[in-house]
């Protein structure tokens, strides 16, 4: 399967703590993206990191990319209850298809 | 812009019936994707259109599934005949470019086949 793998599958933390999610992939990539999905909703794009970038920030989000290890991580700092959602990595290898990981379910307790 | 619009939001039907899901992409986007999401399989790409042309339909599970994009502002996903295992949330997404760019997802259609 080309599907990316994410870990952990589920993560439960206290409000104010940091949350780190990891994604591994199997092919060479042009870019890697992270999406969030709230329960019952569609996915929302969070951030895109290109293959020649190693780190990118957006507000409380920090994404790293290690192409030698074919892995990426998403860090959410100072988490809030509203960050409770599923988080997916997605990447485009060769061709047109964007491949989504299985997702990490994050629960932030108030 | 209203974003990607999908209809219906919920559909309950009986096995054997035809189901048609509809999608209106964001104006100006030339790529459109249909996905299916289930607990067991996660998010699966069913078909991808670029400039109204199907580019990759390798994810379409079987001949019972068909998709069309008659113009840049409308696409349909049809299941005929439907089966209980087709129950899932079906998402439509659109983006600019040829794939690999940010995708904008619709709210999804929750399909239940009894």
């Amino acid at each position: 399967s080309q599907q990316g793998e994410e870990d952990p599958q589920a993560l439960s933390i206290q409000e104010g703590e940091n949350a780190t999610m990891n994604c591994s992939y199997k092919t060479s990539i042009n870019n890697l993206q992270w999406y969030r999905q709230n329960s019952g909703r569609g996915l929302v794009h969070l951030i895109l990191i290109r293959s020649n970038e190693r780190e990118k920030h957006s507000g409380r989000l920090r994404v790293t990319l290690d192409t030698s290890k074919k892995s990426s991580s998403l860090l959410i700092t100072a988490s809030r209850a509203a960050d409770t959602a599923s988080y997916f990595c997605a990447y485009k290898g060769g061709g047109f298809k964007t491949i989504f990981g299985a997702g990490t379910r994050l629960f932030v307790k108030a | 812009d209203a974003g990607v619009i999908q209809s219906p939001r919920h559909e309950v039907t009986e096995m054997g019936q035809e189901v048609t899901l509809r999608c209106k992409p964001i104006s100006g986007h030339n790529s459109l994707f249909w996905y299916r999401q289930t607990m067991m399989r996660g998010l699966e790409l069913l078909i991808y259109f670029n400039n109204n042309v199907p580019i990759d339909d390798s994810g379409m599970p079987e001949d019972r599934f068909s998709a069309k994009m008659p113009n840049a502002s409308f696409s349909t996903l049809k299941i005929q005949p439907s089966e209980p295992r087709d129950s899932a949330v079906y998402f439509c997404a659109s983006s600019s470019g040829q794939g690999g760019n940010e995708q904008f997802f619709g709210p999804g259609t929750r399909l239940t086949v009894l």
Side-chain angles (χ1 to χ4, degrees):
Chain A
S1 166
Q2 282 189 307
Q3 188 178 49
E5 295 180 6
E6 296 184 57
D7 77 273
Q9 289 187 332
L11 181 61
S12 180
I13 59 174
Q14 290 289 140
E15 204 168 31
E17 294 180 340
N18 296 341
T20 300
M21 289 159 269
N22 304 297
C23 168
S24 61
Y25 55 91
K26 299 179 181 179
T27 67
S28 297
I29 62 171
N30 297 323
N31 65 56
L32 187 139
Q33 304 170 50
W34 285 90
Y35 289 78
R36 182 185 71 211
Q37 183 180 31
N38 289 87
S39 181
R41 303 280 187 93
L43 279 71
V44 174
H45 185 265
L46 295 176
I47 195 167
L48 181 152
I49 186 166
R50 301 190 190 285
S51 58
N52 61 352
E53 298 177 307
R54 292 296 167 257
E55 187 170 311
K56 199 161 185 179
H57 297 254
S58 177
R60 293 183 296 111
L61 305 180
R62 181 171 78 99
V63 169
T64 61
L65 179 65
D66 187 335
T67 53
S68 66
K69 295 181 180 178
K70 290 188 167 58
S71 67
S72 174
S73 67
L74 171 67
L75 168 68
I76 303 175
T77 59
S79 64
R80 305 167 182 168
D83 295 328
T84 295
S86 292
Y87 292 82
F88 296 85
C89 67
Y91 58 92
K92 177 178 178 293
F96 301 104
K97 186 179 291 188
T98 296
I99 299 167
F100 283 83
T104 293
R105 301 180 77 169
L106 173 65
F107 181 65
V108 181
K109 293 177 280 188
Chain B
D1 198 319
V4 175
I5 299 172
Q6 289 187 248
S7 66
R9 294 292 309 276
H10 301 273
E11 176 81 27
V12 180
T13 190
E14 291 188 344
M15 183 173 63
Q17 295 298 307
E18 176 180 298
V19 174
T20 299
L21 311 181
R22 298 173 177 80
C23 175
K24 176 177 166 52
I26 291 174
S27 177
H29 282 184
N30 61 345
S31 292
L32 184 139
F33 309 82
W34 281 101
Y35 291 92
R36 177 173 67 178
Q37 187 177 38
T38 61
M39 289 294 292
M40 291 296 293
R41 289 201 171 103
L43 194 67
E44 303 173 275
L45 175 67
L46 299 178
I47 188 168
Y48 157 58
F49 290 89
N50 183 253
N51 293 324
N52 312 338
V53 175
I55 302 298
D56 184 349
D57 64 356
S58 60
M60 296 286 264
E62 18 187 309
D63 292 346
R64 298 185 297 106
F65 285 70
S66 62
K68 294 182 179 179
M69 191 164 186
N71 56 63
S73 60
F74 184 65
S75 176
T76 59
L77 177 68
K78 185 179 292 186
I79 308 172
Q80 165 65 16
S82 58
E83 296 182 2
R85 60 194 168 116
D86 301 331
S87 297
V89 181
Y90 291 80
F91 289 103
C92 175
S94 71
S95 73
S96 58
Q98 285 193 329
N101 295 332
E102 174 184 356
Q103 294 184 26
F104 294 80
F105 281 73
T109 295
R110 182 173 295 276
L111 173 65
T112 302
V113 183
L114 302 174

